[in-house]
Amino acid sequence: MSNINIDSIKERTFDAIVIGSGISGGWSAKELTEKGLKTLVLERGKDVKHVVDYPTTNMYPYEFEHRGEVPLAIQEAAPIVNRCYAFREDAMHFFVKDNEHPYVQEKPFDWIRGYQVGGKSLLWARQTQRWSDYDFEGPARDGFAVDWPIRYKDLAPWYSYVEKFAGISGNRDGLKELPDGEFLPAYPLNAVEDYFKGVLQKKYRGRHVISARCAHLSKPNPIHIEQGRVQCQNRVLCQRGCPFGGYFSSNASTLPWAQKTGNLTLRPFSVAHSIIYDEEKGKAIGVKVIDANTKEEIDYFAKIIFVNAAALNTNLILLNSTSNRFPNGLGNDSGLLGKYVAFHNYSARISAEYDGMKEYKTDGRNPAGGGYIPRFRNVHKQETDFIRGYAAGFSAYRSPNRDMSGLGVDLKEQLLNAKPGPWRVGSHMMAETIPKESNYVALDSDKKDAWGIPLLKIAVDYDENDAKMKADYIEQMTEMFTTAGFTNIQANTAGQAPGLDIHEMGGVRMGRDPKTSLLNKWNQLHHCKNVFVTDGACMTSTSTQNPSLTYMAFSARAVDFAVNEMKKITCKKICWGTSPYIAALLP
Ligand SMILES: Cc1cc2nc3c(=O)[nH]c(=O)nc-3n(C[C@H](O)[C@H](O)[C@H](O)COP(=O)(O)OP(=O)(O)OC[C@H]3O[C@@H](n4cnc5c(N)ncnc54)[C@H](O)[C@@H]3O)c2cc1C
């Protein structure tokens, strides 16, 4: 009997465990397995195999029962995810069902989640920009949160590393505030986007429209072909899952790569309940899992654990990992776990028309989505009555003037002969928010989910700085649009609850001082060194850039550090008895 137990424990023991298989977990898994570690990836949702599990990917509009619309009954049953622009008939199976995964909104918060192998990497809009020192130095310069324990130079080689593998399209724009990367050819701006770029260049110092940088294979390199991915076909049906692997997802890229090493064990339907802490060993030894289907409780063991469940779920897992040593959550000596949560403020947009350039139209689809205006406020000096700033999207398009009257052949003729309508332009704000102690997540003391895990309580809100920034965005964009000769300018500040930007961050922030942060500069819990957090939970501040590229870079960098540390320990053990010379070289 005891042998059976030992065998069973052996089967459940790995070198490393990764919780979550989305963008950050996929990267952790790839790096760990490539470096030879037997790695278990725990994923709470169903398996989604590249190509075969993309049921809608090749469907024509008329093949959808509701022609792409989400039926009212489903909308009503899913009021939160229904607010996400990508929750459409072709991709709704990749979003969680609100009623199956409740949480407590102490303040309104739209928590958009994708629980499956690949996580939200299937659904994301693929916008990818590096941070610069203006971002990493932000909290120290402007006096909020805590100083980041790293600077741009620490992450730069890791940005390069992940960009080359993921495939990022973009131009080398030479902007200090938005460092260039290892780019595949950019998707060009269309005529009016390019015109607006020219207007800013002439009339505004330090304001730029650049081609959006995005995780698409505009021209694949051999490393992408080796992954089984080919050139993006500009179908712009990405949210369905791409059979070409034209955009980066864990499913198309990092997970199959990890699988090929022979070192990956992927366990879908595995809800990580908590991390098991061994009081005697003074370290984490594994993860308690609830099988999503059978509700059976199973423990898995490993030397190191990467928590990549996406920012808020990572907070939840750590808060739920209590022991005598850590009664308030793993590594939480500072009492700050779950606090200083922040997000991006996407609650303002602006649109207009342009009467010129009628001789041009758009040609084909642009998977990058158009232009990107890097942050220009308060970059070099404080110039407004709010701190930090916003980036903005910018795109222009011409829809055909469609006459939908008539039937049959007449209607078809009309549609075929439709002429392009006026140019329309649009922009959305992507603003930094300031992490505050009062913006927090915690475990609800009464309510539990279907797997017996406490519900997450979310208390996150906008503040006065956000309101001022939003007003400034509308003012500045209105001025720039007017300067460009755009007309019929419409501002939309109706707003949305925090969360809908889907860039939630913080709660397990990095920092130099264990008293004011949870993670050190290697994304390692200060007080439980074999646990690493490399998803959005680690973010000390948010800046304005889309965050996922930074999570990828953090994941690869932290794995490199962790594996080097493990090698040192192993070498030390082997070397002490045999070669004091080698041992003496060890730290
Ligand atoms: C419509 C949309 C557009 C977006 N556009 C962009 C963009 O343009 N650029 C950008 O940078 N970001 C974008 N994002 C955000 C981006 O998707 C996330 O930043 C990114 O996926 C985060 O990676 P992650 O690994 O932290 O989380 P995820 O990719 O969400 O993966 C987390 C995984 O952990 C699993 N998990 C959670 N809890 C547990 C548990 N207890 N046990 C086991 N597994 C668990 C989940 O099921 C999931 O698979 C967008 C998101 C959406 C939905």
Side-chain angles (χ1 to χ4, degrees), residues 107-384:
K107 295 174 180 169
F109 187 92
D110 292 337
W111 191 12
I112 308 298
R113 291 159 291 169
Y115 288 171
Q116 61 250 324
V117 168
K120 299 194 291 288
S121 77
L122 288 162
L123 292 166
W124 71 317
R126 294 101 38 215
Q127 301 292 304
T128 35
Q129 311 94 20
R130 291 184 178 202
W131 278 40
S132 73
D133 268 335
Y134 295 102
D135 309 303
F136 286 112
E137 287 169 4
R141 190 194 83 169
D142 293 334
F144 66 97
V146 287
D147 190 15
W148 277 88
I150 61 159
R151 289 294 181 261
Y152 176 64
K153 67 173 170 34
D154 298 304
L155 212 53
W158 296 100
Y159 275 131
S160 293
Y161 180 79
V162 297
E163 282 164 349
K164 282 186 205 156
F165 190 83
I168 307 293
S169 70
N171 283 318
R172 297 184 71 81
D173 299 293
L175 304 175
K176 218 174 152 207
E177 65 274 29
L178 201 76
D180 292 330
E182 311 286 338
F183 295 140
L184 306 175
Y187 289 91
L189 300 175
N190 65 34
V192 168
E193 289 161 355
D194 205 42
Y195 160 71
F196 189 54
K197 173 188 172 136
V199 171
L200 295 201
Q201 237 159 18
K202 262 191 232 131
K203 307 260 165 99
Y204 293 89
R205 221 171 143 230
R207 300 191 187 186
H208 309 274
V209 179
I210 62 168
S211 287
R213 298 170 180 180
C214 76
H216 276 258
L217 299 183
S218 51
K219 191 165 175 245
N221 284 329
I223 186 67
H224 306 121
I225 305 291
E226 212 182 316
Q227 292 169 43
R229 301 168 59 198
V230 297
Q231 184 163 348
C232 166
Q233 307 291 302
N234 299 9
R235 303 187 327 150
V236 195
L237 300 174
C238 316
Q239 69 283 356
R240 300 179 182 184
C242 180
F244 301 95
Y247 73 93
F248 172 86
S249 68
S250 307
N251 311 64
S253 177
T254 44
L255 292 174
W257 193 267
Q259 197 83 59
K260 271 199 288 190
T261 64
N263 290 326
L264 176 74
T265 303
L266 175 64
R267 193 180 198 281
F269 297 118
S270 303
V271 185
H273 170 281
S274 54
I275 292 170
I276 308 163
Y277 183 78
D278 187 309
E279 313 265 345
E280 274 174 29
K281 291 184 177 149
K283 61 179 184 179
I285 52 164
V287 179
K288 184 178 291 304
V289 166
I290 314 287
D291 185 288
N293 296 321
T294 63
K295 312 259 166 88
E296 188 192 355
E297 199 178 293
I298 314 162
D299 292 346
Y300 288 93
F301 304 99
K303 297 185 188 91
I304 52 171
I305 295 158
F306 271 70
V307 197
N308 292 122
L312 299 190
N313 271 318
T314 285
N315 275 276
L316 194 164
I317 293 165
L318 294 180
L319 285 163
N320 202 35
S321 303
T322 53
S323 55
N324 288 332
R325 167 69 184 83
F326 294 112
N328 301 314
L330 191 66
N332 190 16
D333 287 2
S334 63
L336 295 179
L337 180 59
K339 295 178 181 168
Y340 294 94
V341 168
F343 56 99
H344 280 155
N345 181 359
Y346 275 37
S347 68
R349 5 186 102 244
I350 190 160
S351 63
E353 285 179 17
Y354 185 49
D355 202 28
M357 304 194 112
K358 296 258 178 61
E359 66 278 32
Y360 295 101
K361 53 186 174 141
T362 53
D363 186 12
R365 304 184 195 93
N366 180 352
Y372 179 85
I373 304 177
R375 175 179 152 214
F376 54 84
R377 278 307 212 192
N378 303 325
V379 179
H380 304 288
K381 62 176 183 353
Q382 185 60 37
E383 55 182 335
T384 66

Side-chain angles (χ1 to χ4, degrees), residues 21 55 69 82 153 177 206 215 227 254 319 331 386 405 448 484 514 518:
S21 64
E69 300 299 322
N82 187 43
K153 67 173 170 34
E177 65 274 29
Q227 292 169 43
T254 44
L319 285 163
F386 56 85
S405 60
K448 293 200 167 161
L518 275 298

